[in-house]
């Protein structure tokens, strides 16, 4: 099993979690690897490659992604919801961030940070409950969906 990063190749150990014989004379092989990335998977039968082997496979790991920041906690109307998503060990994939609130969906600004970090910002303009869905390759990351409450800031003199 080889992982490709440009010209660099490294042998990465994988563990078979089982070969399943399907009813249509095909097999399903489930592999567990410690790191996301691009792999070449060699499949042999009786000591020889099967047709089309080795196979190019992209592995992503949504469990290796996490998010943190004040934008994932309860806040007040008008406070920018800033948070970061850390994707360094996730392998190749697509990040999606959706914020739903009293006004349904609205814009989330996202920009790349250092070391495969993604900075996110939204602006809650209405008080109410908000749900923040953070997905990698359409799978929720750790802690997602996040539920927060945005309240009106108390006026001076209010208790």
């Amino acid at each position: 099993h080889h992982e490709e990063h440009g010209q660099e190749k490294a042998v990465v150990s994988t563990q078979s979690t089982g070969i399943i014989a399907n009813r249509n004379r095909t097999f399903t092989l489930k592999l567990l690897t410690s790191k996301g990335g691009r792999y070449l998977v060699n499949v042999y039968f009786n000591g020889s490659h099967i047709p089309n082997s080795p196979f190019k496979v992209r592995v992503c790991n949504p469990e290796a992604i996490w998010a943190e920041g004040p934008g994932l906690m309860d806040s007040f109307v008008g406070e920018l919801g800033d948070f970061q998503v850390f994707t360094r060990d996730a392998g190749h994939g697509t990040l999606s961030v959706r914020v739903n609130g009293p006004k349904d969906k609205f814009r989330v600004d996202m920009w790349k940070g250092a070391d495969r970090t993604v900075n996110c910002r939204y602006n809650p303009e209405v008080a109410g409950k908000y749900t923040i869905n953070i997905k990698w390759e359409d799978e929720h990351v750790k802690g997602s969906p996040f539920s927060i409450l945005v309240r009106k800031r108390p006026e001076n003199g209010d208790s």
Side-chain angles (χ1 to χ4, degrees):
H1 309 289
H2 297 279
E3 181 177 359
E4 296 182 350
H5 287 291
Q7 298 298 324
E8 174 187 345
K9 290 186 180 183
V11 175
V12 175
S13 65
T14 58
Q15 172 185 342
S16 172
T17 60
I19 298 176
I20 301 165
N22 301 315
R23 293 184 180 175
N24 61 357
R25 297 180 52 152
T26 63
F27 293 87
T28 300
L29 171 65
K30 293 188 177 184
L31 298 172
L32 181 64
T33 185
S34 60
K35 186 177 179 188
R38 291 182 182 167
Y39 291 86
L40 286 177
V41 178
N42 297 284
V43 180
Y44 300 92
F45 182 74
N46 286 338
S48 298
H49 277 281
I50 67 167
N52 302 316
S53 176
F55 299 91
K56 291 183 179 181
V57 178
R58 274 187 5 175
V59 175
C60 69
N61 182 5
E63 291 295 314
I65 300 174
W66 76 96
E68 61 185 44
L72 300 175
M73 296 178 263
D74 292 353
S75 65
F76 294 103
V77 170
E79 286 183 358
L80 293 177
D82 288 333
F83 60 94
Q84 291 182 306
V85 182
F86 299 86
T87 66
R88 188 175 113 195
D89 296 324
H92 295 276
T94 302
L95 175 69
S96 70
V97 177
R98 302 278 184 265
V99 179
N100 296 317
K103 284 187 162 182
D104 200 26
K105 296 179 186 177
F106 57 96
R107 193 172 102 197
V108 178
D109 293 322
M110 297 174 30
W111 64 98
K112 291 180 182 181
D115 204 20
R116 295 199 59 196
T117 299
V118 179
N119 299 299
C120 303
R121 173 177 287 158
Y122 64 97
N123 185 8
E125 298 172 347
V126 176
K129 292 183 180 181
Y130 287 75
T131 303
I132 302 166
N133 294 287
I134 304 173
K135 294 183 178 183
W136 186 260
E137 288 296 301
D138 213 30
E139 296 283 332
H140 281 283
V141 304
K142 283 185 206 173
S144 179
F146 296 87
S147 295
I148 64 167
L149 182 62
V150 174
R151 297 173 304 218
K152 288 183 180 178
R153 187 175 298 282
E155 305 264 339
N156 286 342
D158 288 354
S159 51

